[in-house]
Amino acid sequence: MKKRIFSGVQPSGILTLGNYLGAIKRFVELQEDYDAFYCVVDYHAITVPQSPESLKSQIAHAACFMLGAGLDPAKMTLFVQSDVPAHTQLGWIMECTATFGELSRMTQFKDKSQGKESVSGGLFTYPALMAADILLYDTDVVPVGEDQKQHVELCRDLAERFNSRFGDVFKVPEPLIPEKGARIMSLQDPHKKMSKSDPNPAAYISLADSKDDIVKKIRRAVTDSGREVAYNPEEKPALANLITIYSLCSGKPVEEIVRAYEGKGYADFKQDLAEVVVETLAPIQARHDSLMADGSYVDVLREGARRAHEVSSAVLKRVKEAMGLSVFVDPAGVRI
Ligand code: AMP
Ligand code: TRP
């Protein structure tokens, strides 16, 4: 039997090149060998305020970019988290399994709450919902970027704690972090990850950016002092990030890229990098646009939610039975 993978992407903005290179590109490869469930995690997105119109459209765009990047409904299951009731149900149980101390140690929470006058309770308990997402599918492997490693490790701890109290209920998942591209950095600050919620759009390349936007953003990307195109993540982190992007988009090894720019300056390199990124995104954008226009993604998401409900409701029933919670109404009978 194929191993199960599960991963999620937040529709909190238009997906970025970081999402593509760090996660979605691999989702496409992994669908060949794994039984894959991919989820647009809209409940995670509302841990910070979202307007109804933009949330609705960002969910559609996220699904169409994921399908446009090559996810195939015949090979994997793609669905929206809020279409499947078991997620919030197990989410509560995981909140009661996690401790306040554990949740307080999550670096993403510290980063996102820093300097804010007020943050939602959901932003704090977010990793418990993420653990529920993963555990509901008896997941073996969770492909994510480096930033999510701590959350997957917490999920493992929660599963083990639950199992030691209530019996062998959960499968304990493993994270799968890419060697290269696990952290694509901001184009404006190489010490910050590229993020779709960055207030400065020059910091990220969105999958919806036009050719002109991409050329401009790469031309304006910060570089380090010196003139030579050399790969040195410690001393030249901004340039190393650009070379990594080049390598992942073109499939060429870093050494070959560095050799090709010997004796040339940053300007030549950046011009070619922009071209490589444009070429990578163009076919994804074309498929995204046609899926948005014909609306066929809606059927994909409906069928995905049906399959996700089937698997997750059975796991939830197992959990409730183990804990002594009510199963007088069979959760499998709940209609979405
Ligand atoms: P998010 O947009 O936070 O929901 O992230 C969705 C997936 O993309 C997760 O697996 C993240 O780890 C990954 N990801 C997000 N930003 C980056 C980045 N800058 N570099 C690499 N991976 C990323
Ligand atoms: N927290 C993840 C992120 O921001 C998104 C996510 C939610 C997720 N649930 C998940 C990722 C389950 C992997 C598995 O990137």
Side-chain angles (χ1 to χ4, degrees):
M1 232 182 44
K2 284 184 178 175
K3 287 199 168 178
R4 171 79 43 85
I5 58 179
F6 183 96
S7 199
V9 177
Q10 295 188 64
S12 47
I14 298 293
L15 305 193
T16 68
L17 188 63
N19 290 130
Y20 176 64
L21 297 177
I24 294 161
K25 189 165 180 267
R26 305 185 65 232
F27 295 177
V28 175
E29 294 158 13
L30 293 165
Q31 69 180 343
E32 303 298 332
D33 299 321
Y34 288 87
D35 177 16
F37 281 75
Y38 297 125
C39 184
V40 178
V41 289
D42 52 352
Y43 281 139
H44 281 100
I46 62 165
T47 54
V48 297
Q50 303 286 344
S51 89
E53 308 82 68
S54 49
L55 184 58
K56 196 172 170 185
S57 97
Q58 283 159 16
I59 292 168
H61 283 297
C64 291
F65 276 122
M66 290 168 85
L67 293 166
L71 292 185
D72 178 353
K75 295 182 180 157
M76 54 87 232
T77 302
L78 178 68
F79 69 102
V80 179
Q81 189 183 30
S82 69
D83 282 334
V84 181
H87 289 254
T88 41
Q89 291 174 275
L90 186 63
W92 175 254
I93 295 172
M94 287 298 114
E95 280 182 43
C96 298
T97 308
T99 66
F100 185 83
E102 272 170 336
L103 293 170
S104 310
R105 283 193 289 278
M106 295 293 115
T107 57
Q108 182 173 298
F109 175 71
K110 289 190 214 167
D111 291 346
K112 288 199 174 177
S113 58
Q114 202 179 32
K116 298 254 162 65
E117 218 165 85
S118 149
V119 294
S120 72
L123 191 70
F124 184 65
T125 57
Y126 172 120
L129 179 61
M130 176 163 163
D133 297 341
I134 297 167
L135 298 175
L136 279 170
Y137 296 86
D138 285 331
T139 301
D140 295 289
V141 181
V142 187
V144 281
E146 180 74 38
D147 62 319
Q148 296 302 314
K149 190 168 176 221
Q150 195 187 26
H151 289 160
V152 180
E153 267 154 16
L154 176 67
C155 171
R156 287 170 57 82
D157 292 345
L158 299 183
E160 278 163 4
R161 181 173 313 148
F162 189 98
N163 286 352
S164 71
R165 284 181 65 188
F166 300 110
D168 203 13
V169 176
F170 289 129
K171 180 167 263 180
V172 182
E174 300 281 346
L176 181 69
I177 317 262
E179 271 171 39
K180 235 176 30 170
R183 254 176 110 73
I184 300 295
M185 309 313 277
S186 154
L187 300 180
Q188 294 297 317
D189 176 357
H191 302 290
K192 255 172 54 181
K193 78 162 185 172
M194 182 183 282
S195 164
K196 51 177 126 66
S197 49
D198 199 307
N200 177 6
Y204 58 83
I205 291 173
S206 128
L207 297 191
D209 278 349
S210 68
K211 183 175 174 190
D212 280 358
D213 292 334
I214 295 172
V215 170
K216 270 191 216 137
K217 287 182 184 182
I218 291 183
R219 199 184 299 141
R220 287 190 202 144
V222 297
T223 35
D224 311 278
S225 54
R227 307 190 50 245
E228 197 192 331
V229 179
Y231 183 78
N232 187 337
E234 308 283 295
E235 282 166 32
K236 294 188 164 200
L239 193 59
N241 185 44
L242 297 180
I243 298 174
T244 301
I245 294 174
Y246 195 128
S247 170
L248 287 166
C249 287
S250 66
K252 288 186 187 153
V254 165
E255 308 77 63
E256 189 182 323
I257 297 165
V258 171
R259 219 176 308 124
Y261 289 92
E262 257 169 38
K264 298 183 187 166
Y266 291 166
D268 284 337
F269 168 74
K270 281 182 160 182
Q271 196 176 349
D272 293 350
L273 171 60
E275 211 165 289
V276 169
V277 173
V278 168
E279 272 170 27
T280 303
L281 298 190
I284 300 174
Q285 292 176 338
R287 286 191 293 266
H288 159 277
D289 294 353
S290 83
L291 286 157
M292 286 293 285
D294 69 19
S296 55
Y297 69 95
V298 176
D299 289 334
V300 174
L301 294 176
R302 281 207 181 110
E303 173 56 18
R306 199 193 56 73
R307 293 211 291 255
H309 178 60
E310 211 169 86
V311 176
S312 61
S313 59
V315 175
L316 181 65
K317 183 162 186 267
R318 206 165 78 205
V319 174
K320 290 175 78 179
E321 272 168 357
M323 297 180 80
L325 289 166
S326 166
V327 283
F328 298 138
V329 177
D330 183 351
V334 175
R335 290 281 157 259
I336 302 169

